[in-house]
Amino acid sequence: MKTIYYFLAVIILMVCACEEKKLEPVSGSLGKPGMVTILDQEAIPGGVTVTYRIPDSEDILSVKAVYTLSGGRTFESSASFYENTLTIAGFNDMAEHEAKIYTINRAQVMSDPVIVKFTPLEASFIKTAKTMKIISDFGGARFTWKNTDKAPLTFEFYAQDSVGSLQAMRIITSEADSMRVSLRGYEPAERRFGAVVRDYWNNEADTVYSTILPLFEEKIPKSGMSVMKLSNDANFTNWEGMDSYLIDDDIATFGHSPNSSIPAPFTIDLGKKVKLSRVVLFNRNYNNSYYSWGNPKTFDVYGCFTTPSTSGNWDEWTKLMECTQVKPSGSPGITQTDEDLAAAEAGFEFEFDLNLQPIRYVRIVVKSTWESSSFSHPAEIDFYGEMVE
């Protein structure tokens, strides 16, 4: 008998489980909610920020704006009932537009709309595109711009190929207020380059073009280089390290400064005066990570435009740039992604000012390491540019 009761219970449960469930609001409606009261509105690049007061009702869940962009696409912008501002954005002109603002209750019932009319300020992607400059760089073109609104924008960089067509060579997304990007690998012959700026809503500015002559660039040969030993330089001959390993074209070897040597300077004689374009520093692959132990994280680059004294008197040296290595993933510790690994294996590259006069003597000062060690062990350093004597 117990078996029969058990069998019947299972059948009843199966039948109940098969019944169709209706998806309904988690809360019953108290009726159509009241409308917001607009308190203020402020034009912003590509849109408007609206300040409002929600109606005095206990079941208001959120507020949303519905609007149509110039190209005909409809967008929504939402805010919870804890907020009192709403941003409406994505417009690519400075014409008058309107948006409908609704309150929504917990039963998903919408209020009647409040219509807001506004005229956006000039969109960030257009403002940024107007600042885009393309100039000759070593081995290619240098793109510079200002993004004063710090808006998240996408940049596409183009170069003319062998048959004269523009091909996309690099795409980045950035919110930085100013930035520069170089396309390299081109012979010193006139070539057309271009850049396109886009925003989150896929608005696109007119392409910026420039026909330029890339500057000649080569990797400065190590055969004529040497590590100078100035009196106040660090010694990089510790724990299997050698000074000469810093410029031996072998990233498997390294120089190693002693304990308590940070900041750790070392000096390179390039052998001849060079119009420098960039410096590339390679980290040691220590315990299968390039972002650990005594690998340099920040360093300064100095130059001496005369023959430096062996005392290493800093008054003779001019700071050329401050450099900070960036781990693409941003993840803490020694863990590294494929992107982190690719960046380290390519070397950390830093560009010199295009107006820097030719120089023969360069001094690197390691200021900090990835694990805040008191010593440093860079693997290799490369210089690029044009030898002038």
Side-chain angles (χ1 to χ4, degrees):
M1 183 65 68
K2 290 183 179 179
T3 302
I4 295 175
Y5 286 145
Y6 175 78
F7 181 71
L8 290 174
V10 170
I11 293 177
I12 292 171
L13 288 173
M14 291 178 63
V15 170
C16 292
C18 293
E19 289 183 0
E20 184 179 355
K21 293 184 178 180
K22 295 181 180 180
L23 296 177
E24 297 178 344
V26 296
S27 174
S29 176
L30 299 180
K32 182 183 289 188
M35 299 182 292
V36 298
T37 301
I38 304 301
L39 301 178
D40 190 22
Q41 59 186 68
E42 180 182 359
I44 61 173
V48 67
T49 297
V50 179
T51 302
Y52 54 85
R53 183 174 63 246
I54 62 174
D56 185 14
S57 176
E58 64 183 39
D59 71 336
I60 297 296
L61 178 65
S62 62
V63 175
K64 78 172 180 179
V66 179
Y67 56 99
T68 302
L69 297 181
S70 306
R73 293 172 297 160
T74 299
F75 276 83
E76 295 184 1
S77 177
S78 300
S80 75
F81 72 96
Y82 293 108
E83 303 174 71
N84 69 338
T85 60
L86 197 62
T87 298
I88 299 165
F91 294 91
N92 60 11
D93 57 37
M94 291 185 286
E96 185 178 72
H97 297 277
E98 69 176 39
K100 295 179 179 179
I101 300 181
Y102 302 86
T103 56
I104 304 172
N105 67 17
R106 298 183 184 280
Q108 297 300 304
V109 177
M110 295 172 56
S111 70
D112 292 327
V114 173
I115 297 177
V116 174
K117 295 186 177 182
F118 55 92
T119 301
L121 301 180
E122 186 174 39
S124 299
F125 76 97
I126 296 176
K127 290 167 62 176
T128 300
K130 287 179 178 179
T131 71
M132 179 70 69
K133 290 182 173 55
I134 308 174
I135 61 174
S136 297
D137 199 354
F138 287 92
R142 178 175 293 189
F143 302 78
T144 61
W145 65 88
K146 293 186 181 298
N147 177 7
T148 55
D149 297 329
K150 297 184 179 181
L153 300 174
T154 298
F155 301 84
E156 298 181 3
F157 306 99
Y158 293 81
Q160 195 174 34
D161 62 17
S162 59
V163 296
S165 299
L166 283 173
Q167 300 293 333
M169 305 304 296
R170 188 175 177 185
I171 301 175
I172 68 169
T173 299
S174 174
E175 299 179 30
D177 58 356
S178 62
M179 199 170 174
R180 68 185 185 190
V181 167
S182 294
L183 294 183
R184 294 199 180 90
Y186 301 96
E187 297 297 323
E190 278 198 347
R191 186 180 297 268
R192 199 177 196 204
F193 294 86
V196 173
V197 184
R198 290 191 174 90
D199 67 7
Y200 170 82
W201 296 269
N202 208 32
N203 291 311
E204 177 182 310
D206 293 337
T207 306
V208 180
Y209 297 103
S210 184
T211 299
I212 62 170
L213 179 67
L215 304 175
F216 175 78
E217 182 190 57
E218 64 178 340
K219 181 181 176 182
I220 306 305
K222 303 287 181 64
S223 58
M225 289 187 198
S226 61
V227 178
M228 300 180 69
K229 298 298 293 184
L230 305 186
S231 297
N232 53 357
D233 278 350
N235 187 338
F236 281 80
T237 59
N238 301 270
W239 291 283
E240 301 180 2
M242 293 288 291
D243 291 321
S244 60
Y245 289 165
L246 296 171
I247 52 171
D248 67 348
D249 276 330
D250 184 355
I251 61 173
T253 61
F254 55 89
H256 199 305
S257 71
N259 285 326
S260 303
S261 62
I262 299 296
F266 62 91
T267 305
I268 306 292
D269 178 358
L270 299 176
K272 293 183 177 181
K273 283 190 175 183
V274 177
K275 174 71 174 174
L276 288 170
S277 60
R278 51 194 169 116
V279 60
V280 183
L281 190 141
F282 295 85
N283 286 353
R284 176 189 178 192
N285 188 7
Y286 183 79
N287 283 347
N288 295 317
S289 178
Y290 291 97
Y291 304 89
S292 67
W293 207 231
N295 275 318
K297 183 175 183 180
T298 64
F299 61 94
D300 292 343
V301 182
Y302 289 80
C304 183
F305 297 95
T306 59
T307 302
S309 61
T310 57
S311 68
N313 183 357
W314 285 103
D315 291 339
E316 300 171 354
W317 295 86
T318 301
K319 184 185 287 188
L320 305 180
M321 60 179 167
E322 299 179 352
C323 307
T324 300
Q325 293 183 2
V326 175
K327 189 178 185 182
S329 71
S331 60
I334 66 174
T335 302
Q336 54 191 7
T337 64
D338 289 342
E339 188 179 14
D340 296 335
L341 183 62
E345 290 179 343
F348 297 94
E349 177 182 299
F350 302 91
E351 298 177 338
F352 290 99
D353 191 311
L354 287 174
N355 296 318
L356 178 65
Q357 67 186 69
I359 199 168
R360 175 169 174 170
Y361 304 99
V362 179
R363 207 171 190 188
I364 309 294
V365 183
V366 179
K367 296 192 300 182
S368 69
T369 65
W370 277 95
E371 287 194 283
S372 301
S373 66
S374 64
F375 54 84
S376 180
H377 45 62
E380 190 72 23
I381 187 164
D382 292 342
F383 294 93
Y384 289 81
E386 180 179 9
M387 301 179 71
V388 297
E389 67 170 33

